[in-house]
Structure formats: structure tokens, C-alpha cells
């Protein structure tokens, strides 16, 4: 049916620029990279749980990737909520030999608990990203989706959240989920209110009267303080405090050093099915 057809997306300025570069680059390697990146820039990647954009407008070799909307039951999703962080940020650096050599992918922030999520000092323990495991036909989107999946499969934990006392972590998680639920409810209420805009005056007036009975207490409840004198601002303060905690980040140098160590180790020991 027509509803299943992919929606047309207006190309962003960056996408148009990338399309032109795909045509103008002199080497096959750069043309392939520009074409691959243009393709992914034109795709709707929100549903797949990631966003990709150049580190700078004229950059072709270094890209920023944000991973989000992880399975809510995963520890990684819970830790992100506890810390008030929206996404895991990666950086992809493409070598001159791409697609015959893999991109170097590292976690920028936040820091992961050691030996979780297949992350070691910012490097990803993943055979796919090594010279031995890389295949030139690999698609950038599928690589990102694989990384996103691996972080959850490897039970990724964020160091700052894992270091918290359990009670504090649970309280912050409950506060974050309560805030998200309230935001979702507000969005749904706004959508419901918008439905009445095309109705006739009588219908609209009746809906307004009915809505007033329900909406007024809800609005009052949202603004009213709790028994301790703290309203919704208290929840915001809790989440904001957690957001400002030391979630940490990795430097390029430590990630490259870890990558070299992992590569050497697995050349000798081999890779298991999960890596």
C-alpha cells in the first residue's frame, strides 16, 4: 500500500554537499566513501536508533555517531537514564584505503565499566572492525547497527552509574522514567487537543467543557508540590544533578592503544563468536 512507501526526505545542506563530493572526488576510494555517507545521510536512521553527521562541514574522513533508544530493559538504557544522557557518542575515522580497510571506530563518551559492552578504553572489541575481519562490501549502516547491538549484547554498563549506591541509582532511574512518562502523556494530550480543531463550534465547545473537568486537576497536580514541598522541579533537579556527574569520556590516544592491544591479542588467540 502507499502508506508503506518510504517518505521522501528533503536533502540537508550537508547531504547535498556530500552528493556533489561523491561526483567530484578524484579517487575511487573517496568517491565510494562519499557515496556511502550520502546514502546514509538520506536514510531515516531514527528508527534504527542512531544519527550520523560530519565532525565539521567540510569533513569527509571523521564522523560523529550518536546511538540511542536502546532496549529499555537493558542495563545500558537504564544507566543512560540514570545519568540523564540521551546517547552514546562514537567517532568514525575513515582511512585513505577505505573500503578496503575498515574505519576506526571509538567510543567518545560516556565511559563504560571495564569489560562490559565489548568496550575497552574506548576501543570496540569487534572482529568486523579489524583488517582481518573487514569486508569491502560492508555497509556503514549495518556496521553501526552491529555496534549498537553489541553494546547491549555485551551487557554494557556505564562506569558512573555502576559506581553509584544501588538505592541512589534506583531512585534516579525511577525519577527519569517518571519524567519521560509525564512528557509522553503531555505529547499525547496535545495531539488529542489538536484533533478537535477541525470540529464544528458545538462539538468543540463540548470537548472543551469535558476536557476542562479532566485537564484542570491534572494541570494542578503537575504544578502542586508533594508532601515535602517539592514539585516537578525537584525531579528536574535530581535528573540534572545526575547529568552533571562524571560520566567521563575517552581520548583518541587511549582508544587507539587499546585497539592495538586487542588486535594483537586476538591475532594470537582468535575471535569467539560474540566478538
Amino acid at each position: 500500500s502507499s502508506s508503506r512507501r518510504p517518505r521522501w526526505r528533503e536533502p540537508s545542506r550537508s547531504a547535498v554537499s556530500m552528493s556533489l563530493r561523491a561526483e567530484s572526488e578524484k579517487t575511487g576510494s573517496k568517491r565510494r566513501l562519499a557515496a556511502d555517507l550520502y546514502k546514509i545521510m538520506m536514510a531515516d536512521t531514527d528508527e534504527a536508533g542512531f544519527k550520523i553527521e560530519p565532525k565539521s562541514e567540510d569533513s569527509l574522513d571523521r564522523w560523529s555517531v550518536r546511538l540511542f533508544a536502546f532496549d529499555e530493559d537493558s542495563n545500558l538504557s537504564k544507566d543512560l537514564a540514570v545519568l540523564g544522557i540521551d546517547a552514546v557518542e562514537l567517532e568514525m575515522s575513515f582511512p585513505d584505503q577505505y573500503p578496503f580497510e575498515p574505519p576506526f571506530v571509538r567510543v567518545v563518551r560516556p565511559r563504560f565499566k571495564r569489560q562490559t559492552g565489548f568496550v575497552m578504553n574506548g576501543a570496540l572489541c569487534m572482529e568486523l572492525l579489524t583488517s582481518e575481519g573487514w569486508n569491502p562490501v560492508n555497509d556503514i549502516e549495518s556496521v553501526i547497527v552491529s555496534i549498537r547491538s553489541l553494546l547491549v549484547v555485551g551487557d554494557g554498563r556505564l562506569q558512573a552509574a555502576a559506581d553509584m549506591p544501588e538505592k541512589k541509582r534506583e531512585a534516579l532511574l525511577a525519577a527519569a522514567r517518571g519524567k519521560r512518562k509525564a512528557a509522553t502523556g503531555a505529547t499525547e494530550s496535545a495531539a488529542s487537543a489538536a484533533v478537535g480543531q477541525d470540529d464544528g463550534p458545538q462539538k468543540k465547545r463540548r470537548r472543551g467543557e469535558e476536557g476542562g473537568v479532566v485537564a484542570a486537576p491534572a494541570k494542578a497536580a503537575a504544578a502542586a508540590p508533594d508532601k515535602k514541598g517539592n514539585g516537578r522541579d525537584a525531579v528536574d533537579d535530581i535528573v540534572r544533578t545526575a547529568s552533571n556527574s562524571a560520566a567521563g569520556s575517552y581520548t583518541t590516544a587511549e582508544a587507539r592503544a587499546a585497539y592495538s592491544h586487542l588486535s594483537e591479542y586476538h591475532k594470537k588467540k582468535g575471535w569467539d563468536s560474540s566478538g
Side-chain angles (χ1 to χ4, degrees), residues 29 48 93 113 137 170 172 175 189 195 257 263:
S29 174
S93 302
K113 183 180 178 181
V137 302
E170 291 300 325
L172 288 169
S189 296
V195 172
S263 296

Side-chain angles (χ1 to χ4, degrees), residues 158-200:
L158 303 183
Q159 190 67 60
D163 286 345
M164 282 183 186
E166 190 64 24
K167 285 187 178 179
K168 179 180 179 182
R169 182 174 178 274
E170 291 300 325
L172 288 169
L173 180 59
R177 285 183 166 173
K179 186 178 180 183
R180 184 184 301 170
K181 188 176 180 180
T184 302
T187 302
E188 290 173 352
S189 296
S192 297
V195 172
Q197 291 181 359
D198 295 328
D199 290 340

Side-chain angles (χ1 to χ4, degrees), residues 3-4 18 20 29 33 70 128 219 239 244 261:
S3 62
R4 292 185 180 180
M18 191 57 62
L20 294 173
S29 174
L33 175 56
F70 295 96
L128 174 67
K219 187 174 181 181
V239 176
N244 293 332
H261 171 79

Side-chain angles (χ1 to χ4, degrees), residues 4 10 65 72 85 103 108 123 134 215 254 259 275:
R4 292 185 180 180
E10 183 177 354
V65 182
E72 288 192 3
I85 299 172
V108 177
W134 177 256
E254 65 180 321
Y259 173 77

Side-chain angles (χ1 to χ4, degrees), residues 50-64:
F50 74 90
K51 284 275 191 189
I52 181 170
E53 60 183 9
K55 295 289 278 187
S56 61
E57 202 164 295
D58 60 350
S59 171
L60 186 63
D61 301 330
R62 291 174 65 227
W63 288 71
S64 176

Side-chain angles (χ1 to χ4, degrees), residues 6 13 19 29-30 50 91 94 135 145 156 173 184-186 203 222 228 241 245 250-251:
R13 201 170 92 180
S19 176
S29 174
K30 294 294 185 186
F50 74 90
E91 182 183 83
F94 295 90
N135 189 320
V145 170
L173 180 59
T184 302
K203 234 178 180 180
K228 294 182 180 179
T241 300
S245 65
Y250 297 102
T251 65

Side-chain angles (χ1 to χ4, degrees), residues 52-186:
I52 181 170
E53 60 183 9
K55 295 289 278 187
S56 61
E57 202 164 295
D58 60 350
S59 171
L60 186 63
D61 301 330
R62 291 174 65 227
W63 288 71
S64 176
V65 182
R66 290 170 55 81
L67 308 177
F68 49 83
F70 295 96
D71 179 354
E72 288 192 3
D73 290 330
S74 68
N75 280 320
L76 179 55
S77 177
K78 292 174 183 176
D79 284 356
L80 285 166
V82 163
L83 297 174
I85 299 172
D86 294 329
V88 173
E89 185 181 334
L90 310 178
E91 182 183 83
M92 296 186 84
S93 302
F94 295 90
D96 291 337
Q97 298 79 19
Y98 178 86
F100 302 104
E101 288 292 329
F104 173 67
V105 187
R106 71 182 183 95
V107 176
V108 177
R109 64 179 63 85
R111 292 187 76 92
F112 278 68
K113 183 180 178 181
R114 192 171 177 81
Q115 295 184 333
T116 71
F118 296 100
V119 178
M120 177 179 174
N121 289 349
L124 292 158
C125 185
M126 195 174 179
E127 187 179 14
L128 174 67
L129 297 174
T130 66
S131 296
E132 295 77 25
W134 177 256
N135 189 320
V137 302
N138 284 338
D139 173 81
I140 293 174
E141 180 172 359
S142 65
V143 170
I144 294 173
V145 170
S146 294
I147 293 170
R148 185 176 174 280
S149 174
L150 200 68
L151 295 178
V152 173
V153 170
D155 194 22
R157 295 295 312 276
L158 303 183
Q159 190 67 60
D163 286 345
M164 282 183 186
E166 190 64 24
K167 285 187 178 179
K168 179 180 179 182
R169 182 174 178 274
E170 291 300 325
L172 288 169
L173 180 59
R177 285 183 166 173
K179 186 178 180 183
R180 184 184 301 170
K181 188 176 180 180
T184 302

